[in-house]
Amino acid sequence: MRRLATDTMIMAERNLVRLPRNPDLFTAFTIQPIMFVLLFVYVFGGAISTPGYDYVDFLIPGIIVQNIAFGGFITAMGLAEDLNRGLIDRFRSLPMSRAALLAGRTLSDVATNTLSMVILIVTGLIIGFSFNANIGEILLGVVLLLFFGYAFSWVFAFLGMLVTTPEAANSLGFMLVFPLTFISSAFVPTESMPSALQWFADVNPFTVVVDAMRALWLGAPAGNDVWGAFVWSAVIIVVFAPLAVWRYRAAAER
Amino acid sequence: MDSAQRRTSPQPTDAPAISVRGLVKTYGDVRAVDGVDFEVRRGTVLGLLGPNGAGKTTTVRMLTTLQKPDAGELLVDGIDAVADAAKLREHIGLAGQNASVDESLTGSENIVMFGRLYGMSRKNAKARATRLLEQFQLSDAADRPVKNYSGGMRRRLDLAASLVAEPPVLFLDEPTTGLDPRSRLDLWEVIEQLVAGGTTVLLTTQYLDEADRLADDIAVIDHGKVIAKGTPDELKARVGGERLVVALADEASAPDAIAALGPMCTDTPVVEDGAVKLYVSRREGAIVEAVRRLDEAGVGVEDIGLHRPTMDDVFLALTGHAAEERTDDETEEATA
């Protein structure tokens, strides 16, 4: 167990050291989210009606959830790259914990997700976002975001090993996760959608998590959303972590 | 942790460092490794020689715990590679086409990372990295990302990474494939130094000259089976030694040339494309002697050269129908 913890930290450190040396990747979760916030607020903001809230207040929790969910694509690309280049074989020939490679990947995503989240909150505050919450609620929101992001890293870990190249991992993740984030309450109120879409949006875990964030940060009515969001995140981990480990074994021994 | 320290072997020194018996691995209907047996004596190099797809890499992957065999007994440094896989990983190093390094990390960061994954402290791993990079002439490049390395530097780093924990047994899977001649020579010298220091090496290669230079013993493998074993000299003797090719100024003088060269050769000379071709038993002085004999017989010569036996020659000599059989195989694989 101690071995797993030590090796996981070594692998997470490796991922974080690599990151600033890949400028494409680095802009993907620093500059890009800022661009999205500005586009949504200033291009769509005037046309989208969000009763009870300024659009910037409505948007920031939603776009942070979307962004955090996508943070895991670094795991998908990194694992696909390691498999592709034969680095996984070297790791598997070492007397290290075999789970550490995946655990280290998903753990380092928490660090990059934190960076993304801070950048988005600061951007939001600059363009007029304001919390309507006490410090405890704000911090619980942060914990929920990182937990949900961690859960999605396991989804991406699984996707990264379904395909053979980092590029394919990236586009597969994009195709599957992008519609999920849009057919939710992240960018527009679900009431504005056609009824079939609205039904899907309302059961979509993204909506649950986004509504939970609005409850925590904006004082929106919470209902079951906050604990529901934690349960959803836990369920995603319970389902996708074993799937990822199973694909990892199969891919590595081929 | 003491796992980074060099281990004293649990076996008496006369026991083989690697022992493989009845090894089998199948993929669907294909028997990739089909009953392989060999042993590697402690402190020596065994060259596993064979064409692509012969089963060399699969054998190495099973010996290094990356894959489980379907049948057979694998002992490395006295440790069962299947039952005690986790323990064995502390005693082996793997380098070559199947094990690479992180392209975005520097050379030094790579070695430190692998050292720590072997259980070394960060401080010890750093000290070890400095020594290894110096030994492999990579000190100047230690702080540059590996993606900026040349092919030869990358392979040296790859080899250095496999030596972090000073493993008593080292697996090198086609370590010089794709390298330029100068880099190959450099890498050969490094491997020779390791062996001189007591490391046991299992080397897979497609190149006869590589096996010839590095290996104490060679096992030739084809279609998942060992088809010949012996020292490099023994194998070459079976191939028929070096081939002398004499391009004649006038093809009509071929009978005179054959008569003049007859005493030198180990088989019957053949005439092809205006050239006389024959196997000679000794390389040294063969050209000088041939030129002298041809000159005395008054035969005009346009060009003359000695050709070392190639992998194809070995296969031809050992199987008698290598080239043809391999073409059939490729067709089978394409339709399978």
Side-chain angles (χ1 to χ4, degrees):
Chain A
M1 210 54 204
R2 212 183 115 220
R3 194 80 215 225
L4 172 64
T6 318
D7 292 346
T8 300
M9 292 311 290
I10 296 170
M11 297 311 290
E13 183 185 321
R14 165 207 173 209
N15 298 331
L16 294 177
V17 167
R18 282 162 56 94
L19 220 49
R21 296 180 195 164
N22 292 283
D24 298 351
L25 222 51
F26 205 64
T27 52
F29 61 89
T30 51
I31 313 294
Q32 201 169 299
I34 297 177
M35 201 182 74
F36 264 90
V37 170
L38 298 180
L39 285 174
F40 266 94
V41 169
Y42 294 112
V43 178
F44 298 124
I48 298 173
S49 157
T50 50
Y53 303 101
D54 286 341
Y55 188 66
V56 65
D57 287 336
F58 182 86
L59 176 74
I60 291 297
I63 208 162
I64 295 183
V65 171
Q66 187 210 30
N67 211 65
I68 284 274
F70 268 108
F73 85 95
I74 301 173
T75 281
M77 288 180 65
L79 284 175
E81 191 183 321
D82 285 353
L83 269 177
N84 220 9
R85 293 188 187 278
L87 200 53
I88 296 237
D89 277 343
R90 158 146 290 149
F91 287 132
R92 291 178 71 243
S93 78
L94 298 181
M96 64 181 283
S97 156
R98 293 215 162 178
L101 193 76
L102 291 175
R105 272 286 167 199
T106 50
L107 183 66
S108 54
D109 284 349
V110 176
T112 52
N113 281 341
T114 306
L115 178 60
S116 262
M117 182 180 65
V118 168
I119 288 172
L120 280 173
I121 291 174
V122 170
T123 309
L125 290 173
I126 291 170
I127 62 171
F129 173 78
S130 55
F131 288 104
N132 178 15
N134 62 39
I135 187 74
E137 288 165 330
I138 293 175
L139 288 181
L140 188 59
V142 168
V143 171
L144 172 58
L145 282 173
L146 295 179
F147 188 49
F148 183 66
Y150 183 71
F152 254 79
S153 288
W154 285 103
V155 176
F156 276 100
F158 174 59
L159 294 179
M161 281 172 305
L162 282 181
V163 295
T164 47
T165 64
E167 293 75 19
N170 198 17
S171 64
L172 180 67
F174 195 77
M175 274 191 317
L176 292 180
V177 182
F178 206 66
L180 270 182
T181 64
F182 269 81
I183 309 170
S184 79
S185 65
F187 303 100
V188 297
T190 56
E191 295 81 44
S192 65
M193 299 176 186
S195 59
L197 223 49
Q198 188 185 338
W199 173 84
F200 179 81
D202 285 341
V203 297
N204 184 346
F206 273 94
T207 301
V208 177
V209 175
V210 169
D211 288 353
M213 289 307 300
R214 291 197 180 115
L216 290 169
W217 284 4
L218 303 175
N224 298 325
D225 288 333
V226 176
W227 69 264
F230 278 100
V231 169
W232 256 117
S233 306
V235 167
I236 290 170
I237 294 176
V238 168
V239 172
F240 281 92
L243 280 175
V245 171
W246 165 67
R247 280 308 306 167
Y248 168 61
R249 293 228 163 102
E253 278 168 31
R254 96 211 106 108
Chain B
M1 287 220 186
D2 64 351
S3 54
Q5 308 294 314
R6 182 158 204 143
R7 275 150 214 89
T8 44
S9 166
Q11 293 284 303
T13 43
D14 55 342
I18 302 174
S19 154
V20 175
R21 287 201 198 296
L23 186 64
V24 174
K25 180 75 185 178
T26 54
Y27 296 100
D29 295 339
V30 183
R31 290 172 82 84
V33 175
D34 191 6
V36 162
D37 304 276
F38 61 80
E39 283 185 352
V40 189
R41 291 172 291 132
R42 208 165 282 281
T44 67
V45 180
L46 176 83
L48 212 51
L49 189 68
N52 270 328
K56 306 184 302 282
T57 293
T58 309
T59 301
V60 169
R61 286 178 64 87
M62 288 188 279
L63 281 165
T64 52
T65 77
L66 297 179
Q67 278 177 331
K68 286 198 174 75
D70 294 330
E73 191 190 88
L74 294 173
L75 285 178
V76 180
D77 207 24
I79 301 165
D80 189 315
V82 180
D84 285 325
K87 187 180 168 204
L88 175 58
R89 289 184 200 115
E90 295 179 6
H91 294 245
I92 54 170
L94 169 65
Q97 64 170 7
N98 255 296
S100 64
V101 293
D102 189 317
E103 300 269 308
S104 299
L105 298 185
T106 67
S108 170
E109 284 166 349
N110 265 295
I111 306 271
V112 170
M113 172 178 72
F114 291 123
R116 291 175 69 201
L117 291 172
Y118 269 107
M120 300 167 91
S121 71
R122 191 190 292 265
K123 188 168 156 252
N124 286 348
K126 274 191 176 154
R128 181 84 181 118
T130 309
R131 279 204 309 278
L132 274 172
L133 290 167
E134 198 178 290
Q135 183 189 343
F136 286 73
Q137 290 157 28
L138 290 167
S139 294
D140 293 342
D143 296 321
R144 291 215 307 266
V146 175
K147 58 181 134 189
N148 300 331
Y149 280 24
S150 70
M153 290 163 73
R154 203 172 299 220
R155 293 297 178 91
R156 291 209 300 277
L157 181 69
D158 192 43
L159 187 54
S162 69
L163 297 172
V164 181
E166 299 184 55
V169 182
L170 188 62
F171 294 87
L172 302 175
D173 193 13
E174 305 203 0
T176 67
T177 300
L179 282 188
D180 61 86
R182 175 73 234 164
S183 303
R184 287 182 82 197
L185 272 174
D186 286 348
L187 207 63
W188 286 352
E189 280 166 18
V190 172
I191 294 168
E192 280 165 349
Q193 285 166 22
L194 286 173
V195 177
T199 306
T200 305
V201 174
L202 188 143
L203 165 89
T204 78
T205 183
Q206 307 180 45
Y207 307 120
L208 187 62
D209 56 343
E210 185 161 290
D212 193 5
R213 160 108 186 225
L214 295 175
D216 298 293
D217 298 289
I218 293 179
V220 181
I221 185 167
D222 192 27
H223 296 301
K225 289 189 160 88
V226 175
I227 56 172
K229 276 186 239 188
T231 65
D233 285 343
E234 284 165 3
L235 283 179
K236 269 191 292 184
R238 290 173 72 169
V239 177
E242 310 256 349
R243 202 169 201 212
L244 185 71
V245 178
V246 182
L248 300 171
D250 177 8
E251 204 167 332
S253 62
D256 294 339
I258 289 171
L261 297 172
M264 288 178 68
C265 73
T266 56
D267 64 343
T268 317
V270 294
V271 183
E272 268 175 29
D273 308 323
V276 177
K277 300 180 180 179
L278 60 147
Y279 286 107
V280 294
S281 45
R282 271 189 325 119
R283 182 183 175 83
E284 293 76 24
I287 290 184
V288 175
E289 186 182 344
V291 170
R292 186 174 50 74
R293 284 173 180 274
L294 290 166
D295 191 41
E296 278 169 9
V299 177
V301 174
E302 206 155 70
D303 193 13
I304 187 165
L306 262 181
H307 298 269
R308 322 203 84 195
T310 63
M311 194 54 214
D312 282 341
D313 295 332
V314 173
F315 267 74
L316 205 63
L318 290 173
T319 67
H321 47 73
E324 198 186 352
E325 199 174 81
R326 273 152 78 196
T327 314
D328 286 352
D329 254 22
E330 277 159 24
T331 332
E332 270 169 37
E333 270 166 26
T335 51

